[in-house]
Amino acid sequence: MSLTVRQMAALVAGEVVGNGDAEIVDARPLTDAKPGHITFVEDDRYLDAWHHSPASAALVLPHVPVNGRPLIKVLDPLMAFVSIVKHLRGNSPAATSSIHPSAQIHPTAVIGTDAEIGPFVVVEAGCVIGARATLLAGATIGKNCRLGDDVTLHPHAVLYDTTVIGNRVTIHANCVLGADGFGYRTQGGRHVKVPQLGYVEIADDVEIGACTTIDRGTFGPTRVGQGTKIDNLVMIAHNCQIGRHNLLVSQVGIAGSTTTGDYVVMAGQVGIADHLHVGDRAILGAKAGVHKDVPPDSRMLGAPATPDREQMRIMMSLEKLPELRRDLRKIKQMLGLPTKAEGKGETKE
């Protein structure tokens, strides 16, 4: 399939600058674009790469100057590029209602219209699956689960009993939702398991990355709020209440009974201790170790986590420690005080 620049501009409601009749056969990012391709320039950092690119056209912000090739000026080049890629490569064929012969569907389960259920999927007793669900190979849904409309479970995703999933939720491969929380009491010198009798509830428009785990509550639900996006390899423990539109990035670990506000961001490998609250719009940098409540709009770094400006000062001070150590040794020598040789344990007089 090919389109002219003008036709593409109409697709994304953009403004054509230059030759609108130039023909485009594919859409590629700047690093891969060739003649005949359209690319995109998300911000001014990539202007130099665009000027040296062999691409025939680009989606750009309104202020970007012309350099002899046709442009489509839009407010959001990235999302406009996504629309053009989908159009050029063709949308996926519409799913038809189908259940693979190897799928195991309990007779009491209710399956919505236009569902696509792949090989070796298991749907246990009492489940209700909404319309247009896509359950891919090996997905397992326990007893009495409820899934909304337009839910996608990728291969080998596992929902334990009574898990509740909202509309338009995507759960990627090998996720486990609703496993027992890690709850034990020590009695008579042994660790005795506390029964985990709750469930997991996922609100609308949530996406959960591959190999993420979310434990069921002890008695009530562990919840994930509307629009939250969770990356791969994230762990959310029992009784947590995750707010709306959070972004939880790779290898975040959140201990039990922690709550978060709305629009919280946690970068990779953030660790949150139990029974804490992270306020609205807080941003926690990579590897932050959080041991106390985080106020709204905070920006925290480090372990233990501290406000970002304070942590930057600490990091700058750490860089100067070798120099400070040498200066201190010289001062002690000038004062005739005993010192230790650098890198050795002996004392010098």
Side-chain angles (χ1 to χ4, degrees):
M1 172 186 263
S2 65
L3 294 173
T4 66
V5 170
R6 185 171 288 104
Q7 288 171 320
M8 289 182 172
L11 280 174
V12 297
E15 175 193 354
V16 177
V17 179
N19 181 15
D21 295 323
E23 190 170 291
I24 301 298
V25 297
D26 201 358
R28 300 277 179 168
L30 274 167
T31 52
D32 298 328
K34 301 287 191 298
H37 296 170
I38 189 169
T39 189
F40 73 102
V41 182
E42 191 169 7
D43 59 48
D44 291 351
R45 291 177 296 169
Y46 305 106
L47 284 176
D48 187 62
W50 156 239
H51 292 317
H52 291 90
S53 168
S56 295
L59 293 144
V60 300
L61 292 165
H63 69 272
V64 170
V66 179
N67 69 350
R69 287 170 286 176
L71 302 177
I72 300 174
K73 296 194 172 186
V74 291
L75 294 177
D76 190 338
L78 171 60
M79 295 313 296
F81 186 73
V82 169
S83 297
I84 286 173
V85 169
K86 287 181 176 179
H87 188 86
L88 283 174
R89 298 180 188 177
N91 294 322
S92 299
T96 56
S97 185
S98 64
I99 298 177
H100 194 275
S102 65
Q104 300 293 311
I105 313 296
H106 194 276
T108 62
V110 177
I111 308 297
T113 58
D114 299 321
E116 181 181 359
I117 299 180
F120 303 106
V121 167
V122 175
V123 180
E124 296 191 6
C127 289
V128 177
I129 310 295
R132 300 173 299 281
T134 301
L135 312 179
L136 299 176
T140 299
I141 302 175
K143 297 175 183 176
N144 301 312
C145 291
R146 290 189 288 119
L147 280 65
D149 296 339
D150 302 294
V151 169
T152 298
L153 267 59
H154 285 272
H156 302 291
V158 177
L159 309 184
Y160 279 57
D161 295 353
T162 66
T163 297
V164 178
I165 305 293
N167 300 312
R168 300 173 300 281
V169 171
T170 299
I171 300 172
H172 286 278
N174 298 306
C175 279
V176 179
L177 308 188
D180 281 359
F182 193 75
Y184 294 88
R185 285 184 178 273
T186 303
Q187 294 180 347
R190 300 177 60 194
H191 299 306
V192 178
K193 188 176 183 67
V194 177
Q196 304 293 297
L197 306 176
Y199 59 99
V200 167
E201 182 176 314
I202 307 295
D204 295 348
D205 302 304
V206 169
E207 183 163 0
I208 302 174
C211 298
T212 283
T213 61
I214 303 177
D215 290 346
R216 65 175 53 241
T218 306
F219 301 111
T222 299
R223 290 193 178 96
V224 175
Q226 180 182 4
T228 284
K229 312 299 181 186
I230 301 174
D231 197 2
N232 305 329
L233 297 167
V234 170
M235 162 58 184
I236 299 175
H238 60 188
N239 303 324
C240 286
Q241 307 291 307
I242 305 301
R244 299 177 305 141
H245 305 291
N246 283 202
L247 296 174
L248 309 182
V249 184
S250 176
Q251 297 182 2
V252 162
I254 303 178
S257 300
T258 289
T259 62
T260 71
D262 298 337
Y263 296 96
V264 170
V265 177
M266 299 185 192
Q269 296 187 337
V270 166
I272 312 289
D274 59 290
H275 293 82
L276 299 182
H277 178 69
V278 180
D280 294 345
R281 299 172 301 280
I283 298 175
L284 306 177
K287 296 189 177 183
V290 180
H291 65 287
K292 60 183 179 181
D293 289 349
V294 177
D297 299 298
S298 298
R299 300 173 67 95
M300 309 282 280
L301 297 172
T306 52
D308 58 348
R309 292 186 179 180
E310 181 179 339
Q311 186 62 221
M312 293 299 288
R313 286 195 293 269
I314 291 171
M315 292 168 65
M316 291 174 65
S317 298
L318 287 173
E319 290 178 358
K320 295 179 180 178
L321 278 180
E323 180 183 347
L324 292 172
R325 186 168 181 266
R326 287 193 297 268
D327 289 345
L328 179 60
R329 186 164 178 267
K330 289 178 181 178
I331 292 170
K332 293 177 76 173
Q333 287 175 335
M334 292 173 64
L335 295 175
L337 299 174
T339 63
K340 287 186 178 180
E342 292 191 20
K344 298 180 180 180
E346 71 270 18
T347 299
K348 287 192 174 183
E349 298 294 341

